[in-house]
Amino acid sequence: MTAHLTAHPTAQLFIAAAALAAACTAQAQTEPAAAAAPAAASAPAAIELPRVEITTRSERAPTSRSVMSGDELRTVPGTAGDTMKALQALPGVAVADDSSAAPAVRGSRPDDNLYYVDFLPVGYLFHMGGLVSTVHSDLVRQFELYSAAFGPEYGDAIGAVLDVTLRNPRTDRLGGVLNVSLLGADALIEGPINEKQSFYFAVKRSYIDLLLDTVEDEDSGVIISVPRYWDYQGKYLWNLNAEHQLSFHATGAADKLEFRVPSGSTLATQEPVLAGDSALNTGYATQAVVWDGDFGRGVSNKLAFGRTIDRNTSSVGTALRATSRANTVFLREQLRFKPAAGHDTSVGGSIESMTIDYDIDARNARCTEFEPDCDFSSAPQVQARDSLHAKFGNAYLSHRWQATEAWALSLGAHHTRDGYLGRRYTEPRLGVEWKSTPSTTFTAAWGRHNQFPAGEQVIPGFGNTGLWHLRATHSVLGVAQKLDRGWSWKLEAYQKKFGDFVVADPTVNYVNGGSGRSRGAELLIKKDPNSGGKLSGWLALSLSKARRQNDITGREFPFDFDQPVIAHLVMQYRQSERWMYGAKWSYHTGSPYTPITGSYVDTDGRTRPTYGELNGERLPAYHRLDLRADWKLSPRYSFYGELINAYARKNLSGYSYNADYSERKPVTQLPLLVSFGVLVKF
């Protein structure tokens, strides 16, 4: 890892208490910069009630699908070997700033995505809002990003699907890996139990908190204790016979953050309810068993049964006191078969039973991306304590017909049953593939999608239990071609239309009153690292436009993550078996922000900002060069070093303001940094 200590360590939480905590934490730690861009930084994260989803491989043509192997992702410069952080260099992916790897894909928010790891749910995919992933990088076999119009086998989301496939444990001998870097360390042990059974167990823990105590932000005055995180992943594989397999899974993660807002600090002056000591503790644990069966003649079955527990305890000044615990039991079924030659059918379903216990005492600021002003100090104090029970169900049907050698058609439908809000949705998905030559394929896909609202928006007292799901329609056209010597290219044009976004309402807290749209084109040129030769990498270029509209007021504005031009050039050169060098250059249009044009004194005598047009201005363009060198000393010992932001570009994340908003100064992101790590295999 790098030596950078992020100032945006909000974690992915799961219920309303966690969402309110995330909102207050974002305000507490990013207020100076967020004052200029409140929609992006101050609004509460769109956190959902826990959802359990199942991974399946789409039989459809690879429309809007980017596939990378774990080997090529692990050595991408600027990631410190964290496989999941490399996804930000894929086409159509935008991120908020250097401190976050949470992806906003093709005009959708990071919270609009679904994340799958080896067929099972994960509570959250990134620690501290994007600092490091919860997945052990050495276990990742393949990573797939479905940017739009994904098939019916995937669940309820209006954004994208990130599907991670982990490898099986080794079966030759007992062994392991130890990886030590600047911010943390991780370890993996694996091996056979007998001829039919094997296992792995991986654990990761930050240790920078053992070396440093606190970090003070000079602009806001916030004193942050160094964040702590840990996670684990375990798998026990039992090959019953050649056709049937059982696997037992145990995964979990936890994050802890403490900070203090001194009473005389700039932030305490701007938001008095945030003054004092604050602490956020969140974590999840999943245990499951998965049965894979192959019945021959193209018939296979996959069944998963398990439980996920999500916990959160949060306190933020006098603005929030909350505890919550969510217990979800899930059952998943997937059946695949070939009814006739040229036909592939997949059917699946899921049942989830959820219990959520929560106790919340918080300021209900009702912040969304449609309101520029997010003020906790003037918000009403609301208390809620209850135990909620809900059941959710999903079912899908997918069929692919290979009509001729050149033409294929995919049809499907996805049905959602929401037992909490009492909603049902049946949505069609379809795709067409034309292989004009053995190396050239044209694709088209279309689908309708829905998504449960953010957790805090549907909890009684804080939200509105009469909300509808968010809706989206995706359309994609693409062409891909494979060239000689491992080269390939793919060009896609897409459009997403969104509806039923949630906006604040003074009477019922929230209503479905927003919409949006995004459209763009993406080009990916790639050189496969397994095709021979010393050079590999890719160029990803995205041109897009993303807008939001408040349908109640009629006001339209740029999406928080609207970056019309995004470019990534990743190059890796393997000089020998021992040495490999890499470079990654990234560029994107400056992110939009809402300017502060003045100030006023409210009825309480507090100075409050006056905002200009929502997301009416942009930060300067962002660009950065990362360099990396890998040295394999022996089969057991490897080293890497990285130079992050090699030419010391001062990229801005926003602006900080003094207490009365009369002066501002730019807030820069990562400076030039040196990162290194040691990998030991045994």
Side-chain angles (χ1 to χ4, degrees):
M1 301 300 168
T2 68
H4 174 58
L5 298 180
T6 177
H8 304 266
T10 53
Q12 181 75 1
L13 307 180
F14 287 90
I15 66 173
L20 293 167
C24 294
T25 306
Q27 185 80 354
Q29 297 175 69
T30 64
E31 173 64 22
S42 297
I47 311 295
E48 298 184 4
L49 291 172
R51 292 179 297 161
V52 177
E53 300 294 348
I54 282 298
T55 309
T56 60
R57 291 292 176 268
S58 176
E59 294 293 344
R60 216 180 41 180
T63 306
S64 293
R65 176 174 175 251
S66 299
V67 182
M68 298 286 178
S69 69
D71 290 337
E72 57 187 324
L73 292 175
R74 266 187 292 275
T75 55
V76 171
T79 64
D82 191 334
T83 305
M84 302 309 300
K85 292 194 71 173
L87 69 89
Q88 61 188 273
L90 296 181
V93 175
V95 296
D97 51 47
D98 287 340
S99 68
S100 176
V105 184
R106 290 186 176 178
S108 306
R109 302 163 300 183
D111 297 311
D112 297 333
N113 302 327
L114 283 180
Y115 301 99
Y116 303 83
V117 177
D118 228 15
F119 199 69
L120 293 172
V122 291
Y124 47 88
L125 198 58
F126 293 98
H127 291 288
M128 304 298 172
L131 178 64
V132 59
S133 75
T134 61
V135 180
H136 194 285
S137 293
D138 191 71
L139 297 177
V140 176
R141 181 172 65 85
Q142 181 173 280
F143 174 88
E144 296 173 87
L145 171 65
Y146 292 86
S147 302
F150 41 88
E153 62 272 26
Y154 292 108
D156 299 328
I158 62 172
V161 173
L162 290 83
D163 193 347
V164 182
T165 303
L166 304 183
R167 63 175 176 82
N168 286 332
R170 64 188 302 172
T171 58
D172 55 342
R173 62 175 178 84
L174 185 67
V177 178
L178 176 63
N179 183 27
V180 180
S181 58
L182 286 183
L183 289 186
D186 56 77
L188 166 69
I189 186 170
E190 60 179 328
I193 302 299
N194 53 44
E195 292 183 354
K196 293 187 176 183
Q197 300 175 39
S198 57
F199 81 100
Y200 64 63
F201 186 79
V203 64
K204 184 191 303 121
R205 209 283 192 189
S206 62
Y207 59 70
I208 195 70
D209 58 288
L210 304 177
L211 307 176
L212 296 177
D213 186 16
T214 59
V215 177
E216 182 176 356
D217 182 83
E218 296 180 358
D219 296 320
S220 66
V222 176
I223 301 173
I224 306 172
S225 297
V226 176
R228 284 161 281 176
Y229 65 82
W230 59 266
D231 59 65
Y232 66 88
Q233 291 171 295
K235 182 177 182 178
Y236 192 97
L237 186 64
W238 183 8
N239 292 306
L240 302 176
N241 52 47
E243 293 80 25
H244 299 276
Q245 180 186 90
L246 284 178
S247 56
F248 302 88
H249 303 256
T251 62
D255 294 84
K256 184 175 183 178
L257 170 68
E258 297 175 345
F259 61 94
R260 180 164 57 88
V261 180
S263 57
S265 65
T266 300
L267 181 57
T269 302
Q270 295 171 338
E271 283 278 18
V273 297
L274 301 183
D277 293 326
S278 301
L280 300 179
N281 291 274
T282 184
Y284 76 89
T286 298
Q287 304 88 38
V289 57
V290 179
W291 166 51
D292 286 275
D294 185 353
F295 299 96
R297 296 186 178 181
V299 180
S300 64
N301 191 76
K302 199 175 190 77
L303 178 67
F305 175 76
R307 182 183 72 162
T308 296
I309 298 177
D310 304 288
R311 303 180 183 90
N312 173 73
T313 302
S314 303
S315 62
V316 179
T318 59
L320 170 71
R321 294 288 187 276
T323 59
S324 61
R325 175 187 172 96
N327 187 356
T328 303
V329 178
F330 61 90
L331 178 69
R332 289 294 184 273
E333 165 65 17
Q334 170 194 298
L335 177 65
R336 306 174 75 177
F337 58 94
K338 296 179 178 294
H343 293 266
D344 294 273
T345 301
S346 177
V347 295
S350 66
I351 301 174
E352 300 140 27
S353 178
M354 183 190 310
T355 300
I356 304 176
D357 300 305
Y358 65 91
D359 187 352
I360 309 173
D361 184 356
R363 299 274 183 152
N364 190 16
R366 299 194 295 259
C367 302
T368 74
E369 62 184 318
F370 293 89
E371 292 83 31
D373 194 358
C374 183
D375 182 42
F376 290 94
S377 297
S378 61
Q381 192 83 17
V382 180
Q383 295 83 31
R385 182 178 184 181
D386 203 352
S387 181
L388 301 179
H389 304 274
K391 292 184 178 180
F392 297 84
N394 288 280
Y396 78 88
L397 170 65
S398 178
H399 183 79
R400 184 176 188 272
W401 175 36
Q402 188 71 49
T404 68
E405 290 187 5
W407 288 91
L409 176 66
S410 298
L411 299 172
H414 180 89
H415 178 76
T416 301
R417 180 187 177 277
D418 172 3
Y420 179 73
L421 296 177
R423 308 299 187 193
R424 292 176 180 266
Y425 300 89
T426 300
E427 297 162 324
R429 318 275 171 88
L430 62 89
V432 178
E433 175 185 354
W434 174 44
K435 186 166 288 190
S436 61
T437 71
S439 60
T440 305
T441 303
F442 291 84
T443 57
W446 177 90
R448 289 182 174 171
H449 308 265
N450 77 88
Q451 180 177 302
F452 194 87
E456 77 275 13
Q457 296 171 353
V458 295
I459 292 293
F462 289 90
N464 177 8
T465 58
L467 290 177
W468 291 87
H469 286 202
L470 285 59
R471 307 297 301 275
T473 301
H474 298 180
S475 305
V476 184
L477 291 172
V479 56
Q481 187 176 56
K482 294 182 179 180
L483 305 176
D484 296 335
R485 300 179 181 179
W487 287 92
S488 63
W489 64 271
K490 179 171 65 173
L491 177 65
E492 286 191 345
Y494 68 89
Q495 177 176 272
K496 290 183 177 180
K497 294 183 178 179
F498 305 98
D500 287 334
F501 279 139
V502 177
V503 302
D505 181 84
T507 304
V508 294
N509 294 318
Y510 298 100
V511 295
N512 296 105
S515 60
R517 66 185 187 277
S518 67
R519 63 178 182 270
E522 298 171 0
L523 173 66
L524 176 66
I525 303 174
K526 182 182 176 184
K527 174 66 164 61
D528 195 316
N530 299 317
S531 60
K534 296 184 177 182
L535 183 67
S536 63
W538 67 86
L539 168 66
L541 176 62
S542 304
L543 306 176
S544 65
K545 182 178 181 180
R547 308 285 291 181
R548 293 288 189 267
Q549 178 174 304
N550 187 322
D551 296 332
I552 298 175
T553 64
R555 180 170 58 178
E556 185 180 87
F557 56 93
F559 173 49
D560 292 342
F561 290 86
D562 179 44
Q563 297 167 2
V565 179
I566 302 176
H568 299 285
L569 178 62
V570 179
M571 298 181 64
Q572 295 177 306
Y573 179 76
R574 183 172 293 279
Q575 183 184 39
S576 65
E577 288 296 322
R578 288 194 170 188
W579 285 96
M580 185 170 72
Y581 305 97
K584 181 184 73 173
W585 184 76
S586 299
Y587 170 92
H588 67 72
T589 308
S591 298
Y593 72 95
T594 303
I596 290 179
T597 58
S599 63
Y600 66 95
V601 179
D602 65 12
T603 56
D604 296 328
R606 185 163 56 100
T607 301
R608 297 289 301 134
T610 301
Y611 293 99
E613 193 68 26
L614 184 58
N615 284 350
E617 296 187 8
R618 287 189 180 272
L619 298 173
Y622 173 104
H623 51 90
R624 176 180 129 186
L625 174 67
D626 299 328
L627 303 174
R628 178 181 172 111
D630 288 84
W631 178 35
K632 187 176 182 180
L633 178 62
S634 69
R636 292 188 61 185
Y637 298 98
S638 300
F639 304 87
Y640 74 83
E642 291 186 339
L643 193 60
I644 297 174
N645 194 14
Y647 52 75
R649 164 73 175 180
K650 292 184 178 180
N651 292 301
L652 301 189
S653 61
Y655 297 95
S656 65
Y657 287 79
N658 60 357
D660 62 1
Y661 303 97
S662 61
E663 298 180 1
R664 78 174 189 181
K665 67 178 182 179
V667 177
T668 58
Q669 303 187 48
L670 283 181
L672 187 153
L673 292 172
V674 176
S675 173
F676 59 88
V678 180
L679 187 69
V680 181
K681 295 184 178 181
F682 58 89

